[in-house]
Amino acid sequence: MTSTYRVQLTPDLGFPEVARLTGYLRELGAGRLYLSPILQAVRDSQHGYDVVDHGRIRAEFGGAAALRDLAARGIPLIADIVPNHMTVPQPESGNAPLWSALRDGPDSPYARWFDVQWPVALPVLGDEPGGLVADGSVLRYYDHAFPIRPGTEDLPLPELLEAQHYRLVNWRESPGYRRFFDVSSLIGLRVEDPEVFEATHALMLSLVDEGIIEGLRVDHPDGLADPRGYLERLRPRVPGPLWVEKILIDDERLPADWPCDGTTGYDALNMITRLFVDPAGRDSLVETFTRHTGVPASYDSVRYEAKKHVIELFFRGEVDRLVGALGDPGLRDAAVELLAAMPVYRAYVNPGEQPSAESVAIVQAAASQAATRADPDAVGKTANLVLYGPAEAVTRFQQTCGPVMAKGVEDTALYRWYPLAALNEVGGEPDRFGVSAGEFHAFCASLPPTTMTTLSTHDTKRSEDVRARLAVLSEMPAEWSRAVASWASSVAFDPRLDYLAWQTLMASWPITTERFTGYLLKAAREAKTAISWQNRDPAYEAGIREFAERAVEVCGHSVASFTAVVDRYARVNSLGQKLVQLMMPGIPDVYQGTEITDFSLVDPDNRRPVDFERRRGLLAHPDDSWDGQKMLVTTTALNLRRRLDPASPYEPIEAGEHAVAFARGERAVAVATRLPAGLERRGGWGADTLMLPPGQWRDLLTGRQHTGRIPLGHLLSRYPVAILER
């Protein structure tokens, strides 16, 4: 295992289309082909996480036969699996296990599949009365369809509704089931039940047994009742690689007792991004941000308010179930404050087990903060119960922490506090500006050789090259402040959104008005300061559209000129972070299309079709454009990784303030320029040198031979990076 290449399957990019890419991917240097979910999902789904049938390979991709043909092309396959949830489709009959459970309630053989409270509340009703019609054995409500409990078909409608194993409630209410974050159309599965685990994993594990699929990537393990127990059951059945989409915050590390190969790489992504951010720009960027937006300079306060906001907006039902499990309604405020204070997605406490010292420390630290906002005695009691109390209380708290973090931080706070949006990534800490080369080396030394690393995914808030541009602002904050002041004086809408809009417009330029508008609508809904997904305001949304159009029309020329200056340095960042990610410890993943520049924004923008013909052409005939240079760096590094032992030791090499360098064993050395604007201001490399390990080294990008101590100005005269092989 040397690397992976992630492909987002869609009805337009199924197994036959991907099979035609395998020759290109092999030449690029990809070691494995990493597929988004392949089980049957909602027919038109563009992502595949809304599974409706665990027993079928998705028909829109070509089905099982086309999957086998793809596997026969010679690149081993990694597949994404979704153990935490299924979808609640429209009509609901599209999910047969759920249909059975709703029809027959606790007596259904599928009732144990779903994490529900009977009768289960289904939030589907609109604000206007009417629309419900009993149609034989089916209850219809516009596009929805629900099974009628046998024997109740002839009851009058009010009595019929009361006789069902479900209750239809307003769409704004919390559902009577655990869901994926706040998405009521995704219903939680109970894979901790061995029968449910076997039923929902049988097909995927049979593909592993056959050798069709080599390894698995587990989606959202923090949603499960017992992530470690789940992996202990899965690991013996998957001899190949097994990764988990675990979001680690700052210095947090993957639990040591999880039997898997590592994370999907957000921890590496955030560390690499910080490596190319200049901490000296922090104060100026925060000042510019607060001046334009009126948002507080303290990220901590914004994060806290955002988490409290989403708990009230989305998770009242989840808190109700937690408080019920705690056994004391008087602990509700304490439970809410404890959830809001949790610094990570989960503390990994299992019922009936003595919690680890680390888990206790996490909960107690949160309790200390919560005690400043709620009754200290109640907080202390709540913290004790979620550590040592009833099994359901322990598990419910763990399963609620993740959604509160994800929606409160990822999907709210990061859209409210963004002095430098490059830092506002999944698992990122936007107030932590930059790391030194030494801190980066220490991080790499702690990485297992089998963990995944990445720079872009289907879930990143912005692509790696958008972040490469934004990182430059940390080196030229005064120039940025003047530019954004000029633009804002010409076009303005909502100060809480505009500043993010200007960063986005510059960093994704050139961008169509349609894409720009789509991003701003999503950003505003996620921020929840003026509108949200639940509370639309047609006038405000029209204002966003008008702002986007005018920003492009009035300021586009100026934005393009500023971006051209930024790109002199962003290209250096782009190539540097790509090389570092591909050569550092771990198994590097390349997200589809990012072998050349990609200026995509948050999904669905980052799932747009990829122009593979352009990439084929650049692979065959690389030019000296940014795209050509990024392709050259990517394919050179990926093919070198094929010749390296993944466990090759990581050895830092001293390279000064403006470079990062390291050796991988005795065969490879990577060197990347960092903070290029500052390097230019100081007059270039001057007398800076780098001492190579013993031996004769060839730069695979230029063909030059090097040995001993080399002037960095010579080593990096052709490209801002060097890939050396002995």
Side-chain angles (χ1 to χ4, degrees):
M1 169 67 71
T2 60
S3 66
T4 61
Y5 188 97
R6 166 80 177 201
V7 171
Q8 283 296 119
L9 298 165
T10 71
D12 295 321
L13 185 70
F15 302 135
E17 290 78 18
V18 175
R20 290 192 283 272
L21 296 175
T22 53
Y24 162 74
L25 296 177
R26 190 177 293 109
E27 187 179 352
L28 182 69
R32 300 292 187 272
L33 182 55
Y34 168 25
L35 304 174
S36 59
I38 63 175
L39 295 181
Q40 187 60 51
V42 174
R43 180 177 179 82
D44 296 327
S45 174
Q46 295 294 304
H47 50 77
Y49 291 93
D50 40 7
V51 175
V52 295
D53 188 346
H54 291 88
R56 284 193 297 147
I57 302 299
R58 193 167 172 189
E60 293 79 22
F61 298 164
L67 173 63
R68 286 184 165 81
D69 178 67
L70 172 59
R73 296 300 179 101
I75 299 184
L77 304 180
I78 308 296
D80 206 336
I81 59 169
V82 190
N84 178 63
H85 55 264
M86 293 183 77
T87 197
V88 182
Q90 294 185 33
E92 285 70 7
S93 55
N95 183 333
L98 178 62
W99 186 264
S100 171
L102 293 177
R103 183 187 61 215
D104 299 324
D107 294 332
S108 166
Y110 294 100
R112 64 196 301 174
W113 277 43
F114 302 103
D115 191 353
V116 304
Q117 287 181 308
W118 299 105
V120 58
L122 302 176
V124 299
L125 298 179
D127 296 328
E128 300 296 326
L132 279 169
V133 177
D135 181 11
S137 61
V138 176
L139 180 65
R140 301 192 185 278
Y141 181 71
Y142 300 106
D143 292 336
H144 295 277
F146 306 99
I148 293 177
R149 183 177 180 177
T152 67
E153 298 92 338
D154 297 326
L155 292 174
L157 185 61
E159 296 176 26
L160 182 147
L161 292 174
E162 285 296 317
Q164 303 312 307
H165 293 293
Y166 51 85
R167 297 287 180 266
L168 303 184
V169 299
N170 185 269
W171 68 275
R172 290 186 176 86
E173 293 188 31
S174 296
Y177 50 84
R178 180 175 59 81
R179 53 190 166 170
F180 176 75
F181 299 158
D182 64 328
V183 184
S184 294
S185 61
L186 297 174
I187 183 170
L189 290 170
R190 297 183 61 251
V191 293
E192 65 272 20
D193 185 312
E195 180 180 306
V196 179
F197 176 92
E198 291 299 330
T200 56
H201 287 68
L203 176 55
M204 291 301 299
L205 292 177
S206 73
L207 295 172
V208 172
D209 289 341
E210 288 182 57
I212 302 299
I213 299 295
E214 182 187 46
L216 298 176
R217 175 263 197 199
V218 177
D219 181 67
H220 188 46
D222 279 347
L224 305 179
D226 179 10
R228 185 194 66 201
Y230 170 80
L231 292 171
E232 288 174 341
R233 186 176 292 120
L234 185 63
R235 173 82 274 185
R237 310 276 289 274
V238 183
L242 178 61
W243 291 296
V244 291
E245 189 214 20
K246 167 60 190 164
I247 310 303
L248 300 171
I249 303 295
D250 207 15
D251 294 329
E252 184 187 11
R253 295 292 176 262
L254 193 68
D257 57 358
W258 282 21
C260 65
D261 290 295
T263 75
T264 51
Y266 286 106
D267 47 344
L269 181 157
N270 284 299
M271 184 60 73
I272 295 167
T273 296
R274 293 185 191 119
L275 182 63
F276 292 87
V277 169
D278 187 352
R282 183 190 195 282
D283 291 347
S284 178
L285 287 172
V286 171
E287 191 279 328
T288 302
F289 164 71
T290 57
R291 176 161 39 85
H292 278 275
T293 63
V295 174
S298 167
Y299 171 62
D300 288 345
S301 65
V302 172
R303 179 179 55 195
Y304 168 73
E305 292 298 334
K307 291 177 77 173
K308 285 291 296 291
H309 186 174
V310 301
I311 290 171
E312 175 61 26
L313 187 63
F314 299 130
F315 299 121
R316 292 192 302 273
E318 284 79 356
V319 172
D320 287 344
R321 295 182 76 179
L322 171 59
V323 173
L326 293 172
D328 184 348
L331 298 180
R332 184 182 183 86
D333 287 348
V336 166
E337 293 297 344
L338 190 61
L339 286 167
M342 282 291 288
V344 293
Y345 280 69
R346 192 162 173 156
Y348 303 107
V349 180
N350 289 322
E353 295 182 11
Q354 179 66 27
S356 69
E358 183 179 6
S359 297
V360 172
I362 290 170
V363 174
Q364 289 182 342
S368 295
Q369 284 194 22
T372 66
R373 299 182 174 114
D375 177 60
D377 291 338
V379 171
K381 181 178 179 181
T382 302
N384 189 67
L385 286 170
V386 302
L387 285 169
Y388 309 105
E392 186 177 0
V394 172
T395 300
R396 288 291 172 204
F397 181 77
Q398 295 295 316
Q399 287 182 295
T400 307
C401 286
V404 171
M405 279 291 291
K407 296 306 297 182
V409 178
E410 279 185 42
D411 292 342
T412 305
L414 295 188
Y415 288 93
R416 294 181 178 182
W417 202 89
Y418 43 83
L420 183 64
L423 301 170
N424 291 44
E425 201 42 83
V426 177
E429 293 288 272
D431 59 345
R432 186 179 178 190
F433 279 66
V435 296
S436 66
E439 289 173 295
F440 178 76
H441 291 317
F443 171 79
C444 287
S446 72
L447 285 179
T450 55
T451 196
M452 185 180 281
T453 68
T454 191
L455 285 178
S456 299
T457 78
H458 61 290
D459 276 336
T460 41
K461 301 300 183 185
R462 44 194 61 79
S463 70
E464 60 202 61
D465 293 314
V466 169
R467 297 198 306 275
R469 280 175 165 172
L470 289 168
V472 175
L473 303 185
S474 69
E475 294 196 80
M476 43 190 296
E479 294 91 333
W480 166 250
S481 181
R482 288 192 295 270
V484 79
S486 172
W487 303 332
S489 68
S490 301
V491 182
F493 173 58
D494 180 345
R496 295 168 297 183
L497 181 66
D498 293 2
Y499 191 70
L500 181 61
W502 295 122
Q503 289 189 66
T504 302
L505 186 61
M506 185 282 294
S508 60
W509 188 267
I511 185 172
T512 65
T513 301
E514 180 182 16
R515 284 180 59 212
F516 186 40
T517 302
Y519 174 80
L520 292 181
L521 286 168
K522 177 165 184 171
R525 291 165 183 160
E526 298 285 28
K528 307 170 191 67
T529 52
I531 58 172
S532 68
W533 296 104
Q534 289 73 27
N535 296 297
R536 307 292 181 87
D537 180 342
Y540 185 91
E541 295 186 5
I544 288 179
R545 293 185 175 91
E546 181 182 354
F547 170 85
E549 291 173 2
R550 284 184 46 76
V552 173
E553 177 185 350
V554 174
C555 301
H557 180 74
S558 176
V559 170
S561 298
F562 186 87
T563 305
V565 174
V566 165
D567 280 354
R568 288 162 39 194
Y569 313 111
R571 179 182 64 89
V572 178
N573 290 342
S574 169
L575 301 182
Q577 64 187 10
K578 196 69 169 179
L579 174 61
V580 166
Q581 183 244 335
L582 296 178
M583 294 301 296
M584 68 191 287
I587 306 300
D589 175 56
V590 176
Y591 184 64
Q592 62 177 26
T594 61
E595 57 269 37
I596 68 173
T597 58
D598 176 75
F599 299 103
S600 294
L601 303 170
V602 72
D603 69 278
D605 193 67
N606 60 12
R607 304 182 193 192
R608 290 171 296 136
V610 174
D611 183 352
F612 282 107
E613 287 308 307
R614 170 163 168 71
R615 286 155 178 80
R616 285 183 195 272
L618 277 173
L619 180 60
H621 304 287
D623 56 31
D624 206 34
S625 65
W626 185 351
D627 281 344
Q629 291 184 1
K630 193 177 181 191
M631 174 64 80
L632 178 63
V633 169
T634 301
T635 188
T636 302
L638 286 177
N639 280 287
L640 176 56
R641 285 300 298 250
R642 285 177 162 178
R643 304 189 290 273
L644 289 182
D645 182 344
S648 294
Y650 178 89
E651 299 291 342
I653 299 175
E654 175 57 41
E657 179 186 2
H658 289 283
V660 59
F662 53 86
R664 297 302 311 277
E666 298 180 348
R667 183 156 190 179
V669 167
V671 185
T673 305
R674 57 189 292 262
L675 310 183
L679 176 64
E680 181 180 85
R681 283 195 297 268
R682 59 166 264 190
W685 293 109
D688 290 358
T689 61
L690 177 145
M691 185 66 186
L692 288 173
Q696 187 80 18
W697 296 87
R698 178 173 176 265
D699 187 339
L700 301 179
L701 300 178
T702 65
R704 295 174 182 167
Q705 300 289 332
H706 301 283
T707 187
R709 185 168 293 280
I710 317 166
L712 282 169
H714 173 64
L715 178 65
L716 302 175
S717 62
R718 178 69 180 84
Y719 299 105
V721 298
I723 307 175
L724 306 170
E725 184 176 19
R726 190 168 70 171

